[in-house]
Amino acid sequence: MALLLQRIGRPRLLLLLLVLVLLPALALYAALLNNFAFLSSLGALPRKAHASPPAAGFSAEPSSAHVVDIATPPPPPPTPPSTSTPVVAGTASIPRQIHQTWKTSNPTLLATQHPRQHKWRETWALLNPQYRLTLRDDAEAAAYVREHFPGRVYDAYARLPQVVQKTDLYRYLVLLHEGGVYTDMDTVCLKSVDEWVPQEPASSVGEGIRFVVGLEWDYDVFNEAGIQISQWTMAGTAGHPILARIVDQIVERVERATDAELRDVDGVIALTGPLPWTHAVGEYLESIGEDLGRAGNLTHGYLRMGDVLVLGITAFAPAHERALGFEHPDACVWHVFSGHRKGGWKWMHGGSKMLLKQLALLREMEKEEKEKEKEERERARQAERRKERERARKSEKGRLRERKLWRV
């Protein structure tokens, strides 16, 4: 190296080394440029996505998550199920949600302390798997009304002294605010809600239906039309005029009533119950040129009145003496009347025959269930006895074999 440095000199040696290093680097750079042009022509290079302005509180520094492969875009996130799906095709505004209220909303307490209501509620979940079931206890219902209906409505709700009155008003309010289906906790679902509105190939009956009600009976002495609309189950859209009408009427009546009148048990049916509910439905139908009286003698089937579908007695009251029974295809809901006692307001106002029939059916079902449980326990005992005999037989065989061995 010293001899070479003396012959060519230091500047020439540095120039030679520089040339030897640069030539391979230039060749490598040219090869990379060619590969880059080839890959770009195929569209296989990653490219940065267009970045949106950073949200407040988030850093605008680039991240590897902003780089996407345009040749293979990532799959879209899964869409959560929506409760705004219509009840039936053509019914675009009755959401798939079922509202209920009871003494407790705790599932464990409901199953252990209120087993009947727990079983009845399970029928709604079983036959309506696409529906969201919401259960609120008394305190949660009150908080719901206070949040969504402050002022006069909540004041009227808080002034009602009886739980049944608050429950009546709550059902109207929750449907007014959210829409969907309301049903009492002592109801049994017999048919999916999606099948309540008849599906006929030659008819568009389901199109434009915004409210579904069912007849309770058609001989009520309080209504001039001789008709009473069932109040334990109903389905409708949020903000429907029927709901707004019944809420306004109840609030005005509560504001005018005295405390004694509000405590009157017999006044429940006329203040918040099926009587004002039937009047509200009839008044709305009259406002759109329809007549609720046309639904008289409607034991089964249905009647379309504007955007309201009125189902026959068999739909929501299959145990009624004029209904066609639980096995009829029109039967949708069974109201067990578990909250009413003999001598109560429902009993005193013409419902005694139906209540007796309902109670008889309930006792019969409970008797059959107890007999089935007794039979199952007996079968279990017999099976256990057979197992014990088999174990004893095997044990005896084992002892005999041991004796033979000892003798040998």
Side-chain angles (χ1 to χ4, degrees):
M1 177 62 72
L3 182 61
L4 182 62
L5 183 61
Q6 290 178 358
R7 289 184 178 182
I8 65 175
R10 184 184 298 272
R12 292 180 180 179
L13 179 60
L14 293 176
L15 181 61
L16 178 61
L17 293 175
L18 183 62
V19 170
L20 292 176
V21 172
L22 287 178
L23 284 177
L26 291 174
L28 179 61
Y29 180 73
L32 290 175
L33 287 178
N34 291 334
N35 290 335
F36 181 88
F38 175 73
L39 293 174
S40 297
S41 65
L42 295 178
L45 283 178
R47 194 165 52 181
K48 287 188 177 180
H50 296 288
S52 57
F58 291 89
S59 173
E61 295 180 359
S63 170
S64 58
H66 295 159
V67 181
V68 297
D69 189 348
I70 61 173
T72 56
T79 303
S82 174
T83 57
S84 61
T85 307
V87 168
V88 291
T91 311
S93 48
I94 301 181
R96 279 195 168 113
Q97 51 189 359
I98 299 172
H99 306 277
Q100 292 180 299
T101 180
W102 188 241
K103 301 173 184 178
T104 178
S105 59
N106 184 293
T108 303
L109 294 179
L110 184 65
T112 56
Q113 299 181 8
H114 309 276
R116 288 185 181 179
Q117 283 72 18
H118 175 69
K119 291 180 180 179
W120 297 334
R121 176 174 165 80
E122 283 184 336
T123 63
W124 290 93
L126 179 65
L127 293 181
N128 303 281
Q130 301 297 326
Y131 283 67
R132 183 182 68 189
L133 271 69
T134 302
L135 176 62
R136 294 184 175 92
D137 60 23
D138 297 339
E140 292 166 340
Y144 181 92
V145 177
R146 182 172 58 251
E147 177 183 358
H148 298 291
F149 298 92
R152 290 181 60 201
V153 176
Y154 176 72
D155 292 342
Y157 176 89
R159 191 175 173 222
L160 292 171
Q162 302 182 56
V163 175
V164 64
Q165 296 171 323
K166 294 180 183 292
T167 302
D168 284 342
L169 183 53
Y170 167 77
R171 75 190 64 197
Y172 308 135
L173 293 174
V174 72
L175 290 188
L176 179 63
H177 182 67
E178 297 186 40
V181 179
Y182 174 86
T183 190
D184 282 344
M185 283 291 287
D186 57 351
T187 58
V188 177
C189 186
L190 303 176
K191 185 165 65 174
S192 171
V193 177
D194 288 349
E195 301 175 10
W196 288 3
V197 177
Q199 298 294 297
E200 299 182 359
S203 172
S204 60
V205 65
E207 297 182 2
I209 295 297
R210 298 177 58 217
F211 219 94
V212 180
V213 297
L215 293 185
E216 181 175 357
W217 51 49
D218 57 1
Y219 57 78
D220 189 62
V221 296
F222 291 99
N223 299 306
E224 296 178 359
I227 290 172
Q228 182 156 296
I229 301 295
S230 64
Q231 187 213 16
W232 52 77
T233 302
M234 60 188 72
T237 63
H240 195 279
I242 295 179
L243 299 167
R245 185 183 298 266
I246 183 65
V247 170
D248 288 343
Q249 292 176 355
I250 291 176
V251 170
E252 291 178 1
R253 289 167 182 162
V254 171
E255 289 175 343
R256 294 196 305 264
T258 63
D259 292 341
E261 291 172 338
L262 293 179
R263 288 193 299 269
D264 184 11
V265 176
D266 291 336
V268 173
I269 192 172
L271 180 64
T272 60
L275 179 57
W277 172 239
T278 301
H279 284 170
V281 174
E283 290 170 1
Y284 170 74
L285 293 177
E286 184 179 356
S287 70
I288 61 174
E290 296 287 350
D291 180 15
L292 182 59
R294 291 173 51 205
N297 297 319
L298 190 66
T299 58
H300 63 288
Y302 61 88
L303 187 62
R304 168 75 180 269
M305 299 185 188
D307 62 347
V308 178
L309 190 71
V310 180
L311 302 178
I313 298 174
T314 303
F316 290 173
H320 190 279
E321 58 187 12
R322 285 174 44 76
L324 302 183
F326 297 92
E327 302 299 328
H328 194 274
D330 285 0
C332 302
V333 178
W334 174 30
H335 188 209
V336 186
F337 286 96
S338 68
H340 303 312
R341 298 186 300 272
K342 186 174 181 179
W345 62 268
K346 195 73 174 182
W347 186 283
M348 298 297 293
H349 291 295
S352 58
K353 292 182 180 179
M354 184 167 61
L355 285 171
L356 285 172
K357 188 175 182 180
Q358 297 272 17
L359 292 172
L361 288 171
L362 181 59
R363 293 191 186 101
E364 184 178 349
M365 293 178 64
E366 290 178 343
K367 182 179 179 181
E368 292 177 356
E369 185 176 354
K370 290 180 180 179
E371 289 178 353
K372 289 181 180 179
E373 292 178 354
K374 183 178 179 181
E375 292 175 357
E376 291 177 357
R377 288 195 298 269
E378 183 62 27
R379 284 195 295 267
R381 283 196 295 266
Q382 292 178 359
E384 185 63 28
R385 290 171 184 171
R386 287 194 296 269
K387 291 179 180 179
E388 290 178 358
R389 288 195 295 267
E390 183 65 20
R391 286 194 295 266
R393 186 176 60 84
K394 291 180 178 179
S395 178
E396 183 64 24
K397 287 183 177 180
R399 286 195 295 269
L400 291 175
R401 282 197 299 268
E402 290 179 358
R403 292 175 182 177
K404 289 181 180 179
L405 290 174
W406 276 108
R407 290 175 183 176
V408 172

